[in-house]
Amino acid sequence: MSDFETLRAELRGLDGDLYLCHLFAPAPVRDTVLTLYHFYADIARIPALVSDPMVGAIRLQWWRDLLVALEAGETRGTPIGEALLEVGRDGRIALPDFLPLIDGREAALNEGGRTLEELEAEAEIVGPAWLK
């Protein structure tokens, strides 16, 4: 199974709506859209999966470390790493553009929920990064 087929199967389990949306992307960019959606779905679910904010922070740091490794050409043997490296090499995605998406999720780890101001701050970070 190719890395993209692995990601496709994982995305279907992570977020069925994003899975269906990626299928409507034009064929030449479908794998890029799949990679973006998989990345986004994984980091978006972290706050809901962890009971301790430190565990979530560790997982978000794992993503930051993966991006640093990818800049050096190292995928850490993960399908998402392989896919990110491939779409990054093609110039379709600039790997540093992913950092604001990760950083924007930090506030979601706060115990007791987020304030309106925190949600707005997250939207100001994640929204433009996602559109880029």
Side-chain angles (χ1 to χ4, degrees):
M1 183 181 282
S2 77
D3 291 324
F4 290 114
E5 289 305 315
T6 300
L7 293 183
R8 197 165 279 114
E10 290 176 1
L11 181 60
R12 192 172 196 172
L14 290 172
D15 189 315
D17 291 339
L18 288 179
Y19 167 79
L20 291 173
C21 287
H22 103 277
L23 294 174
F24 289 97
V29 296
R30 191 169 297 137
D31 289 341
T32 301
V33 172
L34 168 66
T35 303
L36 285 169
Y37 284 177
H38 187 286
F39 170 85
Y40 182 78
D42 192 72
I43 64 167
R45 72 188 182 121
I46 291 171
L49 288 178
V50 299
S51 58
D52 181 350
M54 182 58 73
V55 175
I58 290 168
R59 180 65 181 169
L60 291 175
Q61 186 59 46
W62 180 89
W63 278 105
R64 289 183 189 96
D65 293 345
L66 177 62
L67 292 177
V68 169
L70 289 170
E71 290 289 342
E74 173 58 44
T75 65
R76 299 198 169 173
T78 63
I80 188 65
E82 295 286 339
L84 284 166
L85 187 62
E86 185 172 326
V87 298
R89 246 190 233 131
D90 292 346
R92 294 177 279 178
I93 297 175
L95 295 174
D97 291 340
F98 284 91
L99 286 174
L101 295 170
I102 297 168
D103 295 341
R105 293 295 173 200
E106 288 285 345
L109 297 173
N110 294 340
E111 291 184 46
R114 294 176 280 175
T115 65
L116 179 58
E117 292 79 22
E118 289 171 327
L119 287 169
E120 288 174 345
E122 179 181 340
E124 287 178 16
I125 294 169
V126 172
W130 181 244
L131 290 175
K132 189 174 183 183

